[in-house]
Amino acid sequence: MKARITVTLRAGILDPQGRAIEGALRSLGIAGVASVRQGKVFDIELEGTDRGAAEAALKDAADKLLANTVIENYRVEVVG
Amino acid sequence: MKAVVLVFPGINRERDMARTLELVAGAKPAMVWHAERELPAGTDLVVLPGGFSYGDYLRCGAIAARAPIMEAVRRHAECGRLVLGVCNGFQILCEAGLLPGVLMRNAMLKFICRDVYLRVERSDTPFTRGYNAGQVIRVPVAHGEGNYIADGATIARLEGEGRVLFRYASPDGMIDPNWNHNGAINAIAGILNARGNVLGMMPHPENHVEAAMGSTDGRGLFAGLVDHLERAA
């Protein structure tokens, strides 16, 4: 099974990297960019076929290591 | 003082820290590798030094905070014994949940390596008894992620309980955004845990302990710890 965990900064947390990227996009002349927030994507391959167990393990992984829930949110997707 | 300096892959300030501990406390600290599961018996102080553990992969300090030795550090702290985290060590303590909050990218996005001025907020802690409350000390910083933040309730609690021990300040002790080089909330440079035995700070007091370094302002922190432990003994 393949899965993807997406980690993003919580609303209200200052993202200086996102802001710098936003500025760079403007200076490239790319129109219509209102704001940019930078995040992380983890593509994970899992053993076994139990989708429920996989989702539980991925949530555990995100809570314990992949995201710092003080400042970040995460989304778990088992993609098949 | 029986001190331990933890060594994680990618740490690079452990020898500065060991040298300072030997200079001020008169005994060489034990260097303990991250893969160990126990601290030496009778350890008074555990120091997490600065550097770039695991190359700052994932988040600064995130992987080191899950190292095997950290369970022993947690037990050591739960017994009320002393823990000091400097720079990456502060980031590791936050990631390990031994201190609240997180160190974000510096507000100006630059790695900053220079001397800063810190106002010592209290002198009645094991870490600051070598200073006077309100005293300003000059110590170096060298970090890209030192911008301390926590949720509003946590900040209110830290402030209400007097757990901010060091703030970035002007040379005359004023709190001013121009002297808060990394944008930390309330100019926070160092905080204490609720029990008062775990300190994390971004600046490097261990690098200002001899006249040849240009300042000895950092020495008071280590001398204060030695004094605290001698009185407790």
Side-chain angles (χ1 to χ4, degrees), chain A residues 40 42 64-66 68 71, chain B residues 58-59 66 95 102 109:
Chain A
K40 299 186 185 102
F42 302 89
K64 284 188 178 154
L65 181 63
L66 301 180
N68 180 336
I71 51 164
Chain B
L58 188 62
R59 296 176 305 274
R66 280 83 180 168
E95 278 284 347
V102 58
L109 291 171

Side-chain angles (χ1 to χ4, degrees), chain A:
Chain A
M1 269 187 299
K2 289 184 177 173
R4 172 165 284 186
I5 296 178
T6 309
V7 176
T8 51
L9 280 173
R10 284 173 178 258
I13 297 287
L14 178 71
D15 177 14
Q17 294 182 90
R19 207 172 268 182
I21 294 162
E22 191 182 309
L25 291 175
R26 285 218 185 90
S27 68
L28 281 170
I30 293 170
V33 176
S35 79
V36 177
R37 306 277 284 167
Q38 185 179 313
K40 299 186 185 102
V41 167
F42 302 89
D43 285 328
I44 298 173
E45 285 194 38
L46 294 147
E47 292 165 347
T49 54
D50 183 338
R51 214 181 162 92
E55 277 174 5
L58 291 164
K59 188 176 178 307
D60 200 29
D63 281 327
K64 284 188 178 154
L65 181 63
L66 301 180
N68 180 336
T69 53
V70 175
I71 51 164
E72 293 169 326
N73 292 317
Y74 65 84
R75 191 174 70 237
V76 172
E77 299 161 275
V78 178
V79 290

Side-chain angles (χ1 to χ4, degrees), chain B residues 55-129:
Chain B
D56 283 346
Y57 289 0
L58 188 62
R59 296 176 305 274
C60 300
I63 297 177
R66 280 83 180 168
I69 194 64
M70 290 306 292
E71 267 315 303
V73 175
R74 197 181 302 280
R75 291 196 300 272
H76 173 88
E78 280 166 4
C79 293
R81 294 170 194 260
L82 300 170
V83 180
L84 168 65
V86 168
C87 198
N88 193 207
F90 184 12
Q91 296 164 340
I92 295 168
L93 289 174
C94 288
E95 278 284 347
L98 286 163
L99 289 172
V102 58
L103 285 311
M104 300 280 289
R105 180 66 65 97
N106 293 344
M108 296 306 288
L109 291 171
K110 289 187 175 120
F111 187 94
I112 300 165
C113 181
R114 63 161 179 208
D115 285 1
V116 297
Y117 295 92
L118 301 181
R119 190 173 78 192
V120 182
E121 300 291 79
R122 288 172 60 184
S123 63
D124 58 342
T125 78
F127 301 96
T128 53
R129 59 188 291 149

